[in-house]
Amino acid sequence: MDTKHRILEEALTLFSEKGYSNVFVNDIAERVGIKAPSLYKHYKNKQAIFDAIIAEMHQRFLDQAQVLNIQGNDPFRDAEIYSGFSEEQLIRLGTDLFLYYLHDDYIKKFRKMLTIEQFRDPSLGAAYSKLYVDDPLTYQGQLLAILVSAGVLHGESTETMALHFYSPLYLLLTICDRDPSREEEAIRILEGHIREFNRLYGRTKE
Amino acid sequence: MDTKHRILEEALTLFSEKGYSNVFVNDIAERVGIKAPSLYKHYKNKQAIFDAIIAEMHQRFLDQAQVLNIQGNDPFRDAEIYSGFSEEQLIRLGTDLFLYYLHDDYIKKFRKMLTIEQFRDPSLGAAYSKLYVDDPLTYQGQLLAILVSAGVLHGESTETMALHFYSPLYLLLTICDRDPSREEEAIRILEGHIREFNRLYGRTKE
DNA sequence: TTATAAAGCTAATTCCAATTAGCCTGATTA
DNA sequence: TAATCAGGCTAATTGGAATTAGCTTTATAA
């Protein structure tokens, strides 16, 4: 009964490693433990499997947005938390968040798959930009705006601040996606980044 | 006689849009203006075309490194230039460089192709990291180190400074690769970024 | 000026991967 | 308990894409 979902899982794994067109229906079936023609009892064709993965991601995204009160959805709440934080706590938080996005199996695979497929279809490119660029920048911008108006941080443009905070994270994430053995290095660099960000925009200055 | 090279050009164009396995030998031939079997007079098979593209890029890279005195290869020379620059000149320079990487046909297509293929083969992933992450960061780090020791800029870690300068450029580049219509927006953000970078690490501070 | 090689073409050939046809079994349900 | 359905299987079928065979032409070079 959950074969239908197993198919999505295994397909996502394969798509994230080789890209849609380098994965054969046979490969997916083999991993699920059935024969290729049996797949068609669950999905109309290969493309439908891909589409279902995308649809599921959209659903997860909506679900998450629904549940407020959760990390990354309520800038006011988060800002309140951060404003009392020490630098070490901030680093800890940033690192944990980074590692969460890096390690969570579903998130990681989906990100890699979209990376591969982003130019094939404009809607996938748009999804990529939204998920990994615009949404994070918007959210961090809101967060920073609150922290600035509360006097916790100082900066002229929260848009630029958000870019300064987020883009190193993004860059480091892509490094680790390509080569997980560089994770330790990435964490070290990330620490330096957050420390410096805090110094540049932080409490002590001006 | 230059059919051999035309093939590489057209193949690169197609690979950068759809990825290796979604491009058919037929498509390439058609664009070149010959029939598919004629391609085999020039290259052993489809993979050989791909390999030749990679090899050509390596060659170009080496050639460029050979020719010192050129933008992006001699940090001392570049540092000397930058140290006398006004903020506006700096922005102009950064924007021009950004636009160069964004618009240069060969560079752009190659970058997009590597983006698509980076996970298929570790050597491609390594090439990506080198070209678009490690080399730029190393170079900018050297440049910044010179500017810091000359007292033009102030910062504790040139590694982190390089990350702060470069990663927004990288992020903006990926946005425009996915959606060229966002170029104007990217330039605007880039300006804000450089201005802020200059303010944060620049002459006036401390 | 004849032989040769380079580069093109058409017509196979080969191989594979996606999908369909049609059968079987075991659970569910009227 | 008989009918139905879900979900699996094997054995085709289909279609497409890479590559090969073998012919032709034109330029080059002995």
Side-chain angles (χ1 to χ4, degrees):
Chain A
M1 238 305 176
D2 79 327
T3 301
K4 184 152 186 165
H5 201 262
R6 294 271 332 283
I7 293 172
L8 292 192
E9 276 181 24
E10 300 299 341
L12 176 59
T13 301
L14 289 166
F15 290 158
S16 74
E17 287 166 359
K18 319 195 201 188
Y20 179 81
S21 54
N22 294 307
V23 171
F24 308 135
V25 175
N26 205 355
D27 301 340
I28 302 171
E30 203 164 275
R31 281 192 167 236
V32 173
I34 59 180
K35 301 292 174 177
S38 304
L39 278 187
Y40 293 80
K41 298 288 178 179
H42 302 278
Y43 295 95
K44 184 170 147 279
N45 54 30
K46 187 180 168 189
Q47 185 61 43
I49 297 174
F50 183 86
D51 294 345
I53 291 172
I54 300 290
E56 193 198 26
M57 182 280 294
H58 277 303
Q59 196 48 54
R60 287 204 191 200
F61 184 82
L62 291 178
D63 291 351
Q64 198 204 327
Q66 216 80 106
V67 185
L68 264 257
N69 277 25
I70 230 48
Q71 182 51 244
N73 275 299
D74 183 348
F76 283 95
R77 193 189 125 98
D78 288 354
E80 202 168 317
I81 297 173
Y82 297 154
S83 56
F85 269 25
S86 71
E87 184 170 276
E88 295 311 315
Q89 284 176 303
L90 211 66
I91 289 174
R92 180 60 193 278
L93 193 88
T95 311
D96 285 351
L97 202 65
F98 178 77
L99 288 177
Y100 171 67
Y101 284 116
L102 183 59
H103 287 161
D104 181 277
D105 222 43
Y106 181 79
I107 293 178
K108 186 199 193 78
K109 287 172 182 171
F110 193 83
R111 182 176 59 238
K112 290 179 71 173
M113 186 180 86
L114 264 198
T115 301
I116 299 175
E117 308 297 341
Q118 63 183 319
F119 302 126
R120 239 198 6 175
D121 174 345
S123 77
L124 298 177
Y128 188 107
S129 284
K130 177 175 161 56
L131 278 174
Y132 308 122
V133 180
D134 298 319
D135 282 355
L137 283 179
T138 301
Y139 183 77
Q140 312 245 329
Q142 291 172 343
L143 188 76
L144 290 166
I146 296 167
L147 290 171
V148 164
S149 68
V152 179
L153 297 177
H154 307 277
E156 297 181 4
S157 155
T158 51
E159 184 188 42
T160 301
M161 285 172 81
L163 184 70
H164 281 175
F165 186 80
Y166 179 68
S167 55
L169 269 70
Y170 176 76
L171 185 79
L172 293 171
L173 210 52
T174 68
I175 293 178
C176 294
D177 280 344
R178 268 187 299 278
D179 181 0
S181 77
R182 292 182 69 177
E183 182 177 318
E184 206 177 316
E185 174 198 356
I187 300 285
R188 182 182 60 69
I189 297 174
L190 177 61
E191 275 190 35
H193 159 55
I194 296 179
R195 215 179 286 284
E196 184 73 355
F197 182 87
N198 197 40
R199 190 179 76 78
L200 291 170
Y201 290 110
R203 292 134 228 199
T204 49
K205 228 192 40 173
E206 279 185 37
Chain B
M1 232 311 174
D2 77 329
T3 301
K4 184 152 187 165
H5 201 261
R6 296 272 330 286
I7 293 171
L8 292 192
E9 278 181 22
E10 300 298 342
L12 177 58
T13 300
L14 289 166
F15 290 159
S16 74
E17 288 165 357
K18 321 193 199 193
Y20 179 79
S21 54
N22 294 307
V23 172
F24 309 135
V25 176
N26 207 356
D27 301 341
I28 303 171
E30 203 163 277
R31 282 194 165 235
V32 173
I34 59 179
K35 301 292 174 178
S38 305
L39 278 186
Y40 292 82
K41 298 288 176 179
H42 301 279
Y43 296 96
K44 184 170 146 280
N45 53 30
K46 186 180 168 188
Q47 185 61 42
I49 297 174
F50 184 86
D51 294 345
I53 292 173
I54 300 291
E56 192 198 25
M57 181 281 294
H58 277 302
Q59 195 49 54
R60 287 202 192 201
F61 184 83
L62 291 178
D63 290 351
Q64 196 204 329
Q66 215 82 103
V67 185
L68 263 256
N69 279 26
I70 230 47
Q71 181 49 247
N73 274 298
D74 183 347
F76 283 95
R77 191 188 126 97
D78 287 354
E80 202 167 317
I81 297 173
Y82 297 154
S83 55
F85 269 23
S86 71
E87 184 171 277
E88 295 311 314
Q89 284 176 304
L90 210 67
I91 289 174
R92 180 60 194 276
L93 194 89
T95 310
D96 285 351
L97 201 66
F98 177 77
L99 288 177
Y100 171 67
Y101 283 115
L102 181 59
H103 288 159
D104 182 277
D105 221 45
Y106 181 80
I107 294 179
K108 185 198 193 78
K109 286 172 182 170
F110 194 82
R111 181 176 60 239
K112 290 179 72 173
M113 186 180 86
L114 265 197
T115 301
I116 298 174
E117 307 297 340
Q118 63 182 320
F119 302 128
R120 237 198 12 176
D121 175 344
S123 77
L124 298 178
Y128 189 106
S129 285
K130 178 175 161 56
L131 280 173
Y132 308 121
V133 180
D134 298 320
D135 282 355
L137 283 179
T138 301
Y139 183 77
Q140 311 246 330
Q142 291 171 345
L143 188 76
L144 290 167
I146 296 166
L147 290 172
V148 164
S149 69
V152 178
L153 297 178
H154 307 277
E156 296 181 4
S157 154
T158 50
E159 185 189 43
T160 301
M161 285 173 81
L163 183 70
H164 281 176
F165 187 79
Y166 179 67
S167 54
L169 269 70
Y170 175 76
L171 185 79
L172 293 171
L173 210 52
T174 68
I175 293 178
C176 294
D177 280 344
R178 267 186 299 278
D179 181 359
S181 76
R182 293 181 68 176
E183 184 178 315
E184 206 179 314
E185 174 197 356
I187 300 286
R188 183 181 60 70
I189 297 174
L190 177 62
E191 276 190 33
H193 159 56
I194 297 179
R195 215 179 286 283
E196 184 74 354
F197 182 87
N198 197 40
R199 190 179 76 78
L200 290 170
Y201 291 110
R203 291 135 227 197
T204 49
K205 229 192 39 166
E206 276 185 39

